[in-house]
Amino acid sequence: MKHATILIPNGQSNLSSIVGAYKFLIKANQYHEQRGEETIFTVQLVGVQSRLDLYDGLFSITPHAHIDSVKKTDLIIIPAGHYDFERLVRDNQEIIAWVQHQYKLGAEVASICTGAFILAATGLLDGKGCSTHWNAARAFRQMFPEVTLLPDKLVTDENGLYTNGGAFSYLNLMLYLVEKYYDRATAVFCAKIFQVDINRTSQSPFVIFEAQKDHEDDLIKKAQLFIEEHLRERISMEDVAERYTLSRRNFDRRFIKATGNTPLEYQQRLKIELAKKMLETSRRTVKEVMYESGYADAKAFRETFRKITGLLPLDYRSRYNKEFVTYR
C-alpha cells in the first residue's frame, strides 16, 4: 500500500483544499474496496504543529503526524496557502526541506493553487512548467523567474511534479491523480460523486485581466495609460514606442520587464477583457461587441478571444450572461 501525505503548512492554509483532497482519496479507496480491490493509499494529514487554527480560530486542524515521523511517502499534496507569499515561503522552510528530501527518495508532489509557491521554493520546479491561480501569476513570476509559469493550464504534470490552477479547480487535479494512481473507472466515479467536470483542461475562461501597474517604470505606466485610452482605435506599437522616444525593441523589452506582457499582448488582453464584460452584461450582438472592443476583423476577433479565454465569443456569452442561457 502506498502512503499519501497531505501537508498542513504553517500559516493560513485553504481549508477546503485540505478537506477536499482528503475526501477525494478516501472516497477513491472506498470505491476500490467495494470492487473487491486493494486500497491504494494510506492517507495522512502531516504538519509541523500539533494543531493549526484557521480563519481566526473558527476552524482548527489536528494533523495525524509530524513530518519528522514520516520517513518515506509516495505522494505529497500541498494545499493552497495565503496571499502573503514571501511569508508563506519563509514560515515553511522545514516543510520545504522535507519535500525536497522526500522527492529525492522517490515521492511525487502535487501543489494546489498557491501551494505552488511552496513547491517552487524547493527548487524542484526550476526549468519546468507550473500553474497556479491566475491572480497570483505576477507575484509567482517575480519570485520564481526560473520556473516556466503556465497560468492557463488547469493541471501540469512533469517529472512527478503536479500543479494546478486556482480555487476549486483543485478538484480536477484530484481527478487527474485518482486516474493515475487508481484507474479511469475510479476517476469517473469520483467525478460523479463530487460532480466535477472531468474534461476541464483550462482556467482561461475564469481569468480577469487587470492593468499591471504595480511596477516602478513611470514611462511604461504612461504608455499603458495611452493604450487603454485608445483601445477602440488602430494604433501601432511602433508609433507608441516613438511617442515615448524609444526604439521598438527597447520599448518591448521594458514593457515585458514591467508587466510580463508585450505591448501587443497587453493591448489584446485589455480589448478582450472589455469584450468579455459586454458579453456578460449586455444584449449587444457579437459583431457589435467586436467593434466596441476595437476589432474590425471577425476572424481575428474570434481567434484572439478563444486564445485568451479558451472559448468562442458566443460560447462565453452563453455561459456567463443569464439572458442568453440555453438549456439543452
Side-chain angles (χ1 to χ4, degrees), residues 180-304:
K180 174 166 185 175
Y181 279 97
Y182 294 79
D183 50 40
R184 177 72 175 181
T186 306
V188 170
F189 172 79
C190 288
K192 292 179 178 179
I193 289 294
F194 294 105
Q195 299 189 30
V196 183
D197 182 359
I198 199 169
N199 293 316
R200 267 187 66 197
T201 59
S202 172
Q203 62 174 337
S204 296
F206 306 103
V207 173
I208 301 172
F209 184 72
E210 298 176 339
Q212 303 156 321
K213 294 177 180 171
D214 52 341
H215 58 80
E216 305 302 321
D217 194 327
D218 291 335
L219 186 146
I220 295 302
K221 286 181 181 178
K222 291 178 182 178
Q224 288 176 268
L225 183 60
F226 180 82
I227 293 171
E228 292 163 17
E229 291 175 343
H230 296 81
L231 271 188
R232 293 178 174 86
E233 302 171 24
R234 292 193 66 178
I235 58 173
S236 73
M237 292 306 144
E238 286 80 5
D239 291 341
V240 179
E242 185 177 344
R243 180 184 181 88
Y244 297 101
T245 63
L246 292 172
S247 69
R248 176 63 191 275
R249 183 176 180 180
N250 195 30
F251 178 54
D252 283 1
R253 181 186 61 78
R254 284 178 62 169
F255 207 102
I256 293 169
K257 182 179 180 181
T259 72
N261 285 298
T262 67
L264 184 58
E265 288 170 344
Y266 186 79
Q267 181 192 50
Q268 288 177 335
R269 286 185 173 273
L270 287 173
K271 286 184 175 186
I272 296 304
E273 195 61 33
L274 176 62
K276 285 164 58 181
K277 294 287 194 304
M278 286 187 280
L279 290 169
E280 292 167 13
T281 60
S282 77
R283 294 187 63 85
R284 291 181 179 90
T285 66
V286 171
K287 184 174 286 189
E288 288 171 335
V289 168
M290 177 186 76
Y291 288 129
E292 285 287 321
S293 56
Y295 284 91
D297 184 280
K299 182 180 179 182
F301 175 63
R302 287 196 305 270
E303 289 179 351
T304 305

